[in-house]
Amino acid sequence: MATLVIAEHDNSSIKLDTAKTLACAQAIGAEVDLLVIGHQCASVVDSAKSLSGVRKVLVADNAVYSQHLADNIAELVVSLAGEYQHILAAASSQGKDFLPRVAALLDVAQVSEVVEVVSDDTFVRPIYAGSALATVKSLDAIKVMTVRVSAFDAVANDGSADVQTVDGVFGSKVEFISQTLTESERPDLGAASVVVSGGRALGSSENFVILEQLADKLGGAVGASRAAVDAGYVANDLQVGQTGKIVAPDLYIAVGISGAIQHLAGMKDAKVIVAINKDPEAPIFQVADYGLEADLFEAVPKLIELL
Amino acid sequence: MKVLVPVKRVVDANVKVRVNADNTNVDTANLKMAINPFCEIAVEEAVRLQEAGIATEVVVVTIGPKAAQEQLRTAMALGADRGIHIETDEVLAPLSIAKLLNAVQAQEQAQLILLGKQSIDGDNNQTGQMLAALSGLPQATFASEVKVEGDCVMVTREIDGGLQGLKLPLPAIITTDLRLNEPRYAKLPNIMKAKRKPLDTVTVESLGVTLKQHQEVVSVAAPAARAAGVMVASVEELVEKLKNEAKVI
């Protein structure tokens, strides 16, 4: 039996999440097929072919899949499920959207946000905002799971898989209306090796500029706490935490963030954590490797100057 | 239009939970319990639809032990009209919960089902999508805006990288993101009134659903603790340590 991984892409380029999900799939041990669902996504298929350890790339290219809607994608995946013992997708907003639908149609449970493969039926996943790690054994014939990509290293690009077109055109009941993406020159939050995050203490969206300067200096991405997002300082998709993005960069700099449980859930696996906060009692200092008790409006410009 | 809102009883979001001594579960005894924050947002949205004259009835449903009735009463104090309690002491997987909710929906025939996007204990983020699959209804997950227009609902979704707008025919299933609304506080007179609102208790068996076990929890462990860090005195020292000690810049 083999494993099916559903690729994450935007019809023009494949996302790094796919290569990380493949690493989880390979830890299971069986042969791995990669499924690309989309529309006019030839360039995605090209990149998919070269991902290491892929047996074949299955392609469903049709206008009905152009917006990656959950209901018809789920039906397509279910139509292919018979040959597979494991079905994996990244725990991205897209994977979280369609994969539980696949699982329910197959009458199997889903294991969400897998961080470690123990054996082909046993997996580790965080619960209670990362306060505990549960090891769960799946009793179902087909294991459906989303993968926490920050816990896996991307596979290499030295493969040369065959490409096979799959039939199956399913319509969606849902009509796509619009999409607004946040424009950014900086690296993707989930993939960045350095993340600079700001909290409520920044005080305004204008003040966030100093974090952007610091991020640019370090070649990193900008993140935020829920408080900063709710206050309208930055866009929602920059939120780091239990309900936002989960990141594990080499360096995470938390500026003016107190460190609530829900925020720590999204960043406490970073290799090095730096906290800059003027409250010495802030919980963020309990997880920080380096803590600096200082006013961020003095410390951050100085930091930029010294780098 | 009838709106159905499933709610879950969970450990309060501000409580730090600990793994029990024999590593079989997290210790939830004597902890403060509350309605799951995402479910609260779903209730608030349903009540706003009612206040806007769009929803005619808001029904809340929960699956859990007897004590979970507290959360139904809370939801009714916020404005829901009646509650359904599916009583069970077993901890059920999202798929089993979705099957039970599907049976409730078969009876209630709600036009809109609003759920939280995830519960903050299991962090599964599955139930709404599974219910949508089982009932054959369209779904819009992670909603930050919901507008009912005639026999359709327009939903703005939070996706990686930005926002997406979808149009769904009713009946439909929507799961709520944090930014959908700011839930109100229940006022004392409403809490008193909620005690007299109808609350039906039903059993899993009476819904005619056969449940099976899909997963076994082998163990629950505390995550590795981070080594204690150091406080630095100045920005210069911080830069020096990041360069020479941590070697990350």
Side-chain angles (χ1 to χ4, degrees):
Chain A
M1 291 295 271
T3 300
L4 182 67
V5 172
I6 294 101
E8 179 94 13
H9 66 92
D10 59 4
N11 291 331
S12 61
S13 62
I14 199 158
K15 300 236 171 99
L16 189 67
D17 286 2
T18 308
K20 293 183 172 183
T21 309
L22 281 172
C24 176
Q26 283 161 14
I28 293 166
E31 298 223 73
V32 182
D33 291 347
L34 183 60
L35 172 61
V36 176
I37 309 169
H39 185 45
Q40 296 175 338
C41 50
S43 56
V44 176
V45 175
D46 267 349
S47 321
K49 279 193 300 196
S50 68
L51 286 167
S52 184
V54 176
R55 180 175 67 177
K56 57 186 175 189
V57 176
L58 307 174
V59 182
D61 191 324
N62 192 291
V64 297
Y65 303 126
S66 59
Q67 301 301 336
H68 306 106
L69 299 169
D71 55 350
N72 57 344
I73 284 186
E75 282 185 69
L76 175 71
V77 174
V78 168
S79 74
L80 301 169
E83 292 175 47
Y84 298 97
Q85 197 162 26
H86 294 84
I87 301 177
L88 276 64
S92 59
S93 63
Q94 192 186 326
K96 286 174 181 172
D97 190 34
F98 79 85
L99 206 60
R101 220 175 150 112
V102 171
L105 293 174
L106 294 171
D107 195 26
V108 301
Q110 174 183 290
V111 189
S112 293
E113 307 254 0
V114 169
V115 294
E116 189 189 333
V117 175
V118 177
S119 71
D120 66 357
D121 64 358
T122 306
F123 313 97
V124 180
R125 62 175 302 264
I127 54 174
Y128 286 90
S131 301
L133 292 169
T135 303
V136 295
K137 183 178 169 161
S138 168
L139 308 173
D140 290 316
I142 302 178
K143 280 85 174 154
V144 172
M145 53 209 243
T146 59
V147 176
R148 177 167 292 185
V149 288
S150 65
F152 294 89
D153 293 323
V155 299
N157 273 304
D158 57 0
S160 56
D162 291 336
V163 175
Q164 192 180 315
T165 306
V166 297
D167 303 327
V169 175
F170 300 91
S172 173
K173 283 185 180 171
V174 177
E175 190 185 329
F176 172 83
I177 302 293
S178 64
Q179 187 149 292
T180 329
L181 298 180
T182 311
E183 298 282 332
S184 175
E185 302 280 298
R186 295 185 191 86
D188 186 51
L189 188 54
S193 60
V194 176
V195 174
V196 180
S197 275
R200 198 197 307 269
L202 266 294
S204 73
S205 54
E206 290 75 40
N207 289 340
F208 244 85
V209 171
I210 58 170
L211 293 198
E212 289 166 3
Q213 289 166 351
L214 179 57
D216 290 343
K217 200 105 191 190
L218 293 165
V222 173
S225 70
R226 185 189 164 196
V229 171
D230 283 352
Y233 302 164
V234 290
N236 303 343
D237 58 313
L238 296 187
Q239 185 182 330
V240 172
Q242 182 184 19
T243 68
K245 297 267 175 22
I246 312 285
V247 300
D250 294 335
L251 175 61
Y252 187 88
I253 304 181
V255 181
I257 291 177
S258 64
I261 302 168
Q262 291 77 13
H263 184 75
L264 299 183
M267 45 63 81
K268 67 190 168 76
D269 291 323
K271 288 199 183 72
V272 175
I273 298 173
V274 171
I276 300 173
N277 204 302
K278 63 180 175 188
D279 173 14
E281 305 294 322
I284 192 79
F285 285 124
Q286 289 161 24
V287 299
D289 299 281
Y290 301 105
L292 176 63
E293 184 193 332
D295 183 338
L296 71 95
F297 294 108
E298 288 164 21
V300 175
K302 186 144 192 203
L303 190 52
I304 295 168
E305 184 191 312
L306 288 173
L307 288 170
Chain B
M1 180 174 90
K2 188 193 278 187
V3 182
L4 183 66
V5 186
V7 298
K8 187 178 184 185
R9 173 184 172 87
V10 298
V11 173
D12 185 277
N14 298 311
V15 174
K16 178 105 180 88
V17 297
R18 281 179 212 294
V19 174
N20 65 8
D22 53 1
N23 277 27
T24 52
N25 210 334
V26 289
D27 205 348
T28 55
N30 306 318
L31 293 183
K32 185 182 175 214
M33 304 298 280
I35 187 167
N36 180 45
F38 291 98
C39 303
E40 210 175 353
I41 291 168
V43 172
E44 174 68 30
E45 195 65 19
V47 172
R48 288 186 190 188
L49 286 171
Q50 192 170 40
E51 288 167 347
I54 294 164
T56 48
E57 189 183 24
V58 176
V59 182
V60 284
V61 53
T62 196
I63 304 165
K66 191 153 187 66
Q69 290 191 4
E70 284 170 35
Q71 278 62 46
L72 285 181
R73 292 291 176 201
T74 304
M76 289 191 272
L78 294 172
D81 297 300
R82 63 184 169 92
I84 302 170
H85 177 210
I86 305 171
E87 195 172 345
T88 173
D89 286 327
E90 277 184 67
V91 178
L92 298 177
L95 181 58
S96 300
I97 290 169
K99 285 179 180 173
L100 292 169
L101 294 176
N102 192 33
V104 171
Q105 165 64 1
Q107 292 170 4
E108 296 288 334
Q109 297 287 321
Q111 284 294 97
L112 192 61
I113 307 177
L114 279 165
L115 304 89
K117 76 165 177 179
Q118 74 189 70
S119 63
I120 58 161
D121 50 359
D123 280 337
N124 282 301
N125 198 329
Q126 298 174 8
T127 304
Q129 296 89 313
M130 288 180 155
L131 176 58
L134 298 175
S135 59
L137 296 178
Q139 71 182 47
T141 50
F142 326 144
S144 58
E145 198 183 349
V146 172
K147 270 193 223 150
V148 176
E149 289 178 4
D151 54 0
C152 287
V153 58
M154 312 292 287
V155 182
T156 304
R157 300 179 60 224
E158 298 203 358
I159 57 167
D160 293 340
L163 298 170
Q164 183 188 57
L166 298 179
K167 182 180 182 181
L168 287 72
L170 294 172
I173 293 181
I174 295 173
T175 75
T176 63
D177 216 309
L178 281 172
R179 265 156 299 269
L180 182 59
N181 59 46
E182 190 75 40
R184 68 194 70 189
Y185 289 98
K187 296 196 182 89
L188 187 61
N190 292 345
I191 295 171
M192 300 311 290
K193 232 185 275 170
K195 291 184 177 167
R196 293 190 301 273
K197 288 184 177 175
L199 195 165
D200 290 331
T201 300
V202 297
T203 60
V204 168
E205 293 72 32
S206 72
L207 291 168
V209 178
T210 323
L211 300 179
K212 61 182 180 191
Q213 194 190 357
H214 294 273
Q215 284 172 2
E216 206 176 285
V217 176
V218 180
S219 66
V220 176
R226 289 188 74 97
V230 292
M231 293 300 288
V232 295
S234 66
V235 178
E236 288 82 0
E237 191 187 345
L238 176 62
V239 172
E240 190 272 320
K241 286 208 185 291
L242 288 178
K243 273 189 178 142
N244 303 322
E245 198 174 277
K247 297 189 187 348
V248 283
I249 54 173

